[in-house]
Amino acid sequence: MTATAEVEGAAQEPDRPSGGVGRDGETRRTVWVALAANLVISVAKAIGGVVAASPALLSEAAHSIADSLNEVFLLASLKRSRRPADARHPFGYGMERFFWSLLAAVGIFVTGGCFSVFQGIEAFRSGGSESRHGYVIGLVVLVVALAAEGASLARALLQVRRAARAEGRSMAAEVRAGRDPALRTVLAEDSTACAGVLLAIAGIVLHMVTGEIAYEACASILIGVLLIYVAYTLGRAARVQLVGEAADPGVQRQVREFLVRQPEIDSVTALLTMRLGPDSVMVAARIDLTPGYDSEAVEDAMVRIRREVRGRWHELDQVFLDVTDAAATRQGAAADGHP
């Protein structure tokens, strides 16, 4: 067996870090909190919307129903993505997380956004009026919903803050990184829900003061547009991850610099990365060795380097090192007429 083959075989050992399991447990609790809040709120909004004949409140009910369905998707993703690797999926099922997040985005778009816009348009067409009793019911339901959504959002923000502290960066940077699609979806849903409730309250209050249902209809359409935008943003992020997203450029640069510093490595001719899950990244490096090392020394060095890479960057749990002759590669490229 050659040194390269032995290194590649060692790189496929299924010894993943366990840090992601703990994060998944916290994310699962966050999703359950959001699901419980949305189930209660959706029933209250639906009943209140029917009794008060409020399009804004019915739009918010659709929003909460969509969120509840999406939380079920996210719980499924948390469970399915942790299945162990097998013969058909040698790198595990981490990408299930991205697939279910895409379904959640579609759910927000169809069930929440499109229904809210439709409800607003129907209100413009049909007109309508509410009694003072209806206004009071709508406002009470929305205030309770705002409190519940706010509590769920606070839980999600607390998890983001803990993750940001663990990574040594700001909360804004952690949100932009968005490694955990389940947490990102819950955070987006709860933030949008609070904004939607405020829009619905504004619409009902203006309707009550002016007697014009157009304000509630506008609020309903604005809620729908907001949901469609959030769905598009989440769907785009899921698509990027599903088609094969590279690791953070800063991490790639650090890994390349680390490899070049090793005395056994003369140069790194290629470095490719792909995210396999929220806490799993594959690294494939094509390296040229420094002359003078025998096969046994090369094997020991490559195993050591691989372990150090995984020790420094815990998410890099699949490391492949391909030993090549850079000079021969350049000569072959020149012979073929390539620069």
Side-chain angles (χ1 to χ4, degrees):
M1 179 181 289
T2 66
T4 303
E6 291 180 4
V7 169
E8 290 178 346
Q12 300 179 49
E13 297 171 2
D15 50 342
R16 297 190 174 193
S18 59
V21 178
R23 286 193 297 272
D24 279 0
E26 188 174 7
T27 300
R28 187 176 290 106
R29 289 189 291 272
T30 299
V31 175
W32 274 113
V33 169
L35 176 59
N38 279 313
L39 285 174
V40 174
I41 293 169
S42 60
V43 173
K45 287 177 180 177
I47 295 175
V50 171
V51 172
S54 168
L57 199 51
L58 288 174
S59 297
E60 273 299 296
H63 181 182
S64 295
I65 291 171
D67 286 352
S68 299
L69 181 61
N70 294 336
E71 262 103 49
V72 174
F73 287 157
L74 298 179
L75 289 172
S77 77
L78 289 169
K79 181 178 181 180
R80 295 179 63 85
S81 66
R82 281 298 167 188
R83 289 180 295 172
D86 53 37
R88 295 191 64 184
H89 298 85
F91 295 109
Y93 291 81
M95 285 193 175
E96 286 254 16
R97 196 79 66 90
F98 308 143
F99 169 74
W100 289 98
S101 295
L102 180 61
L103 288 187
V106 173
I108 293 174
F109 178 84
V110 176
T111 310
C114 293
F115 180 82
S116 295
V117 172
F118 171 78
Q119 190 68 30
I121 294 174
E122 281 296 303
F124 268 121
R125 291 176 56 188
S126 61
S129 60
E130 298 179 34
S131 65
R132 183 164 297 277
H133 180 66
Y135 292 130
V136 172
I137 291 176
L139 290 173
V140 168
V141 169
L142 288 174
V143 169
V144 172
L146 183 60
E149 297 286 9
S152 180
L153 177 61
R155 163 73 195 189
L157 288 173
L158 180 62
Q159 183 176 347
V160 171
R161 186 175 69 175
R162 289 173 180 168
R165 286 181 176 177
E167 297 292 335
R169 55 191 175 194
S170 67
M171 289 182 64
E174 180 66 22
V175 171
R176 285 194 298 269
R179 292 193 309 171
D180 188 344
L183 177 59
R184 180 180 60 219
T185 302
V186 170
L187 187 62
E189 286 178 348
D190 289 343
S191 301
T192 308
C194 290
V197 169
L198 292 175
L199 283 172
I201 290 175
I204 290 178
V205 169
L206 289 172
H207 184 187
M208 180 174 62
V209 172
T210 65
E212 295 289 337
I213 198 172
Y215 291 105
E216 271 197 77
C218 287
S220 182
I221 293 174
L222 287 174
I223 291 169
V225 171
L226 179 61
L227 288 172
I228 290 172
Y229 172 75
V230 170
Y232 169 75
T233 303
L234 292 174
R236 182 179 60 182
R239 179 188 64 82
V240 170
Q241 292 172 321
L242 276 172
V243 299
E245 182 184 31
D248 181 79
V251 172
Q252 295 184 55
R253 183 179 63 255
Q254 293 170 14
V255 172
R256 180 182 288 272
E257 292 172 352
F258 169 79
L259 293 176
V260 171
R261 287 198 303 268
Q262 305 309 304
E264 299 86 358
I265 298 177
D266 182 59
S267 64
V268 178
T269 59
L271 180 68
L272 305 176
T273 63
M274 187 172 73
R275 187 167 295 281
L276 304 175
D279 54 1
S280 176
V281 175
M282 179 180 68
V283 178
R286 187 173 293 118
I287 59 177
D288 184 31
L289 295 179
T290 304
Y293 291 94
D294 58 31
S295 60
E296 185 174 353
V298 168
E299 177 186 349
D300 292 341
M302 295 300 100
V303 171
R304 171 183 57 78
I305 291 171
R306 170 181 170 271
R307 287 176 177 169
E308 289 188 23
V309 168
R310 296 191 64 235
R312 288 171 178 249
W313 300 277
H314 297 298
E315 66 175 354
L316 307 184
D317 61 341
Q318 299 287 346
V319 181
F320 297 85
L321 301 175
D322 180 22
V323 177
T324 62
D325 186 341
T329 300
R330 287 192 293 269
Q331 291 174 1
D336 292 339
H338 298 293

